[in-house]
Amino acid sequence: MDVMKKGFRVLEGIAMADLAFEAVGKDLSELFEHAALAVESAMVDVKTVKPKETTTITLEKDSVETLLYEFLSELVYVKDAEQMLFSEFKVSVAKNKGWQLHAHLKGDTINKKMKLGTDVKAITLHQFSVTQDKKGWTARVVVDV
Amino acid sequence: MNPELLRQFSKVDDVVWELPKTFKHDMQVPARIYGTPSIMKDMDDTVVDQLTNVACLPGIQKHAYCMADGHSGYGFPIGGVAAFDPDKGVISPGGIGFDINCGMRLIKTNLKLKDVQPKIKQLVDTLFKMVPAGVGGRGFVRMNPSQMKDAMQGGAKWCVEQGYGWESDIGRIEDFGAIDHADPAKVSQKALGRGINQLGTLGSGNHYLEVQTIRKGELFDAKAAKRFGLEEGQVVVMVHCGSRGFGHQIATDYLNVFGPAMKSHGITVRDPELACAPFRSKEGQAYFHAMACAANSAFANRQVITHQIREAFKHVFKEDPKELGMELIYDVAHNIAKLEKHKLNGKNKEVLVHRKGATRCFGPGRAELAPLYRDLGQPVIVGGSMETGSYLLLGTKKAEEETFGSTMHGSGRTMSRTQAKHAIRGEQLQKDMEKRGIYVRTTTFTGLAEEAGFAYKDISEVVRTMEIAGISKPVCALRPIGNVKG
């Protein structure tokens, strides 16, 4: 699978019982969108999630790593607390005093028309990384399923 | 395992392998893995790295252990057991897992295979409808925050008071279905929000509800089986699930607390997922009390599911669940930390035992065991893959002497989820299993493929390993005939 096509790829040989992925982005905003897509794609075939409702997430953290970790953890929280899964992601990440995130996510409450995957229990810090090179940004994330 | 790495172990016993403290410079104790030569050969190298990281944690006692069903996790390996000095040692959410009090429950029936087989599809379809499974998942129990707090303190007892279960269930659950140091004030609003609608739901991943039977020739301890009221051909129901989003959020919350707390306590760890705090510290105690809330909510979850299972059997077999003999055999926690007394250097000492994918398996006579089973030893329910089957075991005195009274919890993976998905399609697996007499319903075919039998170790060999070691002994094997996969 071409990693750039979807913006993420599943990684083998990292987590025996869990799911590891690598997301890429030309900038941090795109990286966060692709990482969100990777988490949602573990739980559902996103093609079956209608963009009916919008949820907004706003966060500010000291580091890019913490910002991504908290953002993805928020998706896991909303899945259980609000029963929401998402298929469209508009994220903007900017450095002000700290690292700030504004995300508009479009999706729907869990329903029978969705082709569901595996429930994500948590975003882990196992081998968690966010790196930058001349092509852009890469994040490596292991999720507990 | 890399042969070079394996050569660094010394053989303590037929199935016990030890790495000395010198393997990593900051190891406090040696590391031990249980396995036959073939289990050791197949075990992934990361288990060794993770287990020896655990052996470096402050206050760890005797050894860091990995049971024969071990595989790599994050922080601790799955199958990991570590006991800490409560005064000088730590508590680590990574040594318990995100799914606090993930565990197994076994319910018997007086039905025989010949009674159930003709109705297996109707039964599994009914169970599938009555026990919500899969992503998100909402249960039928509606609670307000105050009732949720009662549930996280009362556990299975609270459920029985609400009409979900029988009084007799309580004596057949580890810790009688409720740990007494639960403090809802230590639980976040977020955890409450994630958990409040999920009581009575299975979840997904490797969680399941299974209808099983005891095949001819697979009852190994006739005397114990008789005490449990089990015989060949009998049908039982097994449940594998935990504390759902509530427990996952508590683990997440406290990992975030423990990261910065380690700095103030001057602790460094080799992996962020090993984040920990001194057990007696403010943070350590807060997590211990919050963890008990999650553990109790897991007991409550399995209790409500039991109620639904009994209702499903009543619906299908048109008989009262009491008439159907649907008593609990037992309920065990396999992701938890507990204060227990163990013998160290000839003296009884209180230690904080972390079990992550490992089951308490006390031998006969321990005061913690229900009077019903005290002379037998602790019943241990271990879940295999949905294709190959599971076991009921009993704990031993030797386990108390050797592994802080701990044994295996399941079979353990040998293949990643992605590899399994590449090897078979879920739809095909469902058909293949039906041909072999196992009717499966699932919320996700990709998830079903991830749980294929070939992705797991041979559970019989894992059971045999722990038997050779004298840690736990098999009562009977339990073979699947129907499965609800989360």
Side-chain angles (χ1 to χ4, degrees), chain B residues 311-376:
Chain B
E311 291 297 305
F313 271 75
K314 183 177 163 187
H315 177 77
V316 173
F317 294 97
K318 315 283 181 225
E319 219 175 323
D320 188 273
K322 287 213 162 139
E323 296 300 316
L324 291 169
M326 295 186 74
E327 286 281 1
L328 282 195
I329 298 271
Y330 207 55
D331 176 310
V332 297
H334 58 221
N335 278 10
I336 203 154
K338 288 181 178 180
L339 278 172
E340 293 168 1
K341 283 205 167 121
H342 288 278
K343 224 168 218 168
L344 273 169
N345 304 322
K347 282 184 188 162
N348 260 334
K349 184 177 161 50
E350 191 172 56
V351 284
L352 182 69
V353 186
H354 289 59
R355 298 188 181 97
K356 183 187 191 181
T359 317
R360 193 180 79 176
C361 78
F362 289 155
R366 283 285 296 220
E368 292 94 329
L369 296 180
L372 187 67
Y373 299 130
R374 199 169 287 153
D375 62 317
L376 274 181

Side-chain angles (χ1 to χ4, degrees), chain B residues 118-418:
Chain B
K119 290 187 172 177
I120 191 67
K121 285 193 178 178
Q122 191 196 349
L123 177 63
V124 172
D125 289 345
T126 308
L127 288 165
F128 187 69
K129 205 155 62 183
M130 291 184 71
V131 183
V135 177
R138 289 195 164 195
F140 75 94
V141 182
R142 295 277 79 89
M143 291 187 291
N144 60 36
S146 152
Q147 289 166 317
M148 175 77 183
K149 284 175 185 170
D150 291 341
M152 62 178 98
Q153 287 176 294
K157 286 179 190 167
W158 179 83
C159 296
V160 172
E161 283 162 18
Q162 309 304 308
Y164 306 125
W166 306 340
E167 282 290 335
S168 59
D169 293 340
I170 300 305
R172 298 159 188 257
I173 305 173
E174 194 168 306
D175 294 317
F176 301 89
I179 296 172
D180 61 9
H181 52 78
D183 180 1
K186 302 294 186 287
V187 172
S188 71
Q189 281 301 316
K190 268 192 142 171
L192 209 64
R194 272 183 81 177
I196 201 156
N197 290 311
Q198 292 192 325
L199 202 59
T201 61
L202 264 185
S204 82
N206 61 354
H207 292 162
Y208 61 81
L209 186 172
E210 197 163 82
V211 185
Q212 304 168 330
T213 189
I214 304 168
R215 276 193 205 155
K216 202 166 186 305
E218 293 193 332
L219 209 155
F220 311 108
D221 183 340
K223 207 172 139 200
K226 200 172 174 194
R227 283 285 301 280
F228 289 121
L230 292 175
E231 55 187 31
E232 286 176 357
Q234 195 166 337
V235 168
V236 297
V237 185
M238 183 175 277
V239 180
H240 178 212
C241 65
S243 48
R244 309 284 291 111
F246 181 64
H248 310 162
Q249 189 63 39
I250 287 173
T252 302
D253 290 343
Y254 279 93
L255 270 169
N256 296 340
V257 170
F258 281 18
M262 280 196 301
K263 277 185 197 155
S264 62
H265 293 292
I267 299 173
T268 50
V269 290
R270 285 174 169 266
D271 180 334
E273 288 289 332
L274 286 177
C276 56
F279 178 63
R280 301 282 186 216
S281 69
K282 192 175 143 221
E283 299 88 354
Q285 285 296 298
Y287 171 67
F288 190 55
H289 293 287
M291 181 207 70
C293 293
N296 291 345
S297 88
F299 285 133
N301 193 29
R302 294 195 285 273
Q303 186 63 37
V304 171
I305 288 173
T306 301
H307 172 77
Q308 291 296 84
I309 291 168
R310 286 172 176 154
E311 291 297 305
F313 271 75
K314 183 177 163 187
H315 177 77
V316 173
F317 294 97
K318 315 283 181 225
E319 219 175 323
D320 188 273
K322 287 213 162 139
E323 296 300 316
L324 291 169
M326 295 186 74
E327 286 281 1
L328 282 195
I329 298 271
Y330 207 55
D331 176 310
V332 297
H334 58 221
N335 278 10
I336 203 154
K338 288 181 178 180
L339 278 172
E340 293 168 1
K341 283 205 167 121
H342 288 278
K343 224 168 218 168
L344 273 169
N345 304 322
K347 282 184 188 162
N348 260 334
K349 184 177 161 50
E350 191 172 56
V351 284
L352 182 69
V353 186
H354 289 59
R355 298 188 181 97
K356 183 187 191 181
T359 317
R360 193 180 79 176
C361 78
F362 289 155
R366 283 285 296 220
E368 292 94 329
L369 296 180
L372 187 67
Y373 299 130
R374 199 169 287 153
D375 62 317
L376 274 181
Q378 179 174 329
V380 175
I381 304 158
V382 295
S385 81
M386 60 188 179
E387 288 190 81
T388 48
S390 303
Y391 278 82
L392 177 65
L393 317 174
L394 279 175
T396 66
K397 279 287 168 207
K398 194 172 177 202
E400 290 175 30
E401 290 156 18
E402 236 180 66
T403 57
F404 294 102
S406 313
T407 189
M408 60 188 284
H409 82 305
S411 47
R413 291 190 82 94
T414 52
M415 193 185 267
S416 76
R417 293 181 175 278
T418 319

